[in-house]
């Protein structure tokens, strides 16, 4: 996106998991702010799944520079078992570079 013909603004995308009130994990993706998306879920305006399981808490996310990669990761995560997702949540923030 170009503003005023000079400044290029980079869009960011996220794949994320939230823990629902019933301890289930919901996986999704969003553009812009993952925090705003969690707020939307908690306002009952996110996904139908989370609406009945509020409040939700952000437990894992990954930032991407394009929507394709974010959606692809969402699809991969949705195919994982709960045990595999829980392992990702447990290791979140502990990755070494």
């Amino acid at each position: 996106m170009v503003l005023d013909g000079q400044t290029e603004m980079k869009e960011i995308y996220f794949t994320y998991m939230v823990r629902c009130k019933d301890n289930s994990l919901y996986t999704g993706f969003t553009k812009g702010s993952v925090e705003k998306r969690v707020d939307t879920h908690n306002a009952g305006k996110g996904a139908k799944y989370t609406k009945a399981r509020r409040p939700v808490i952000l437990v894992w996310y990954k930032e991407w520079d394009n929507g394709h990669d974010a959606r692809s990761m969402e699809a991969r995560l949705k195919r994982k078992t709960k045990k595999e997702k829980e392992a990702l949540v447990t290791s979140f923030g502990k990755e070494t570079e």
Side-chain angles (χ1 to χ4, degrees), residues 12-51:
I12 57 171
Y13 299 82
F14 294 91
T15 308
Y16 65 92
M17 283 192 284
V18 293
R19 185 170 309 281
C20 300
K21 181 178 167 183
D22 65 359
N23 206 37
S24 62
L25 292 170
Y26 174 82
T27 303
F29 85 95
T30 192
K31 178 171 83 169
S33 169
V34 71
E35 292 86 2
K36 284 184 183 177
R37 183 62 178 154
V38 172
D39 289 345
T40 301
H41 282 295
N42 280 322
K45 299 176 185 173
K48 191 183 288 187
Y49 182 86
T50 59
K51 186 175 184 176

Side-chain angles (χ1 to χ4, degrees), residues 27 71-82 84-85:
T27 303
R71 287 186 297 272
S72 294
M73 175 59 97
E74 177 193 24
R76 285 193 304 272
L77 288 175
K78 286 184 174 185
R79 289 191 298 268
K80 290 188 177 292
T81 65
K82 176 106 188 295
E84 290 169 324
K85 292 177 192 177

Side-chain angles (χ1 to χ4, degrees), residues 54-78:
R54 294 177 287 158
V56 301
I57 300 166
L58 183 65
V59 292
W60 182 91
Y61 67 90
K62 182 169 172 84
E63 185 177 322
W64 303 92
D65 59 4
N66 66 75
H68 174 77
D69 289 345
R71 287 186 297 272
S72 294
M73 175 59 97
E74 177 193 24
R76 285 193 304 272
L77 288 175
K78 286 184 174 185

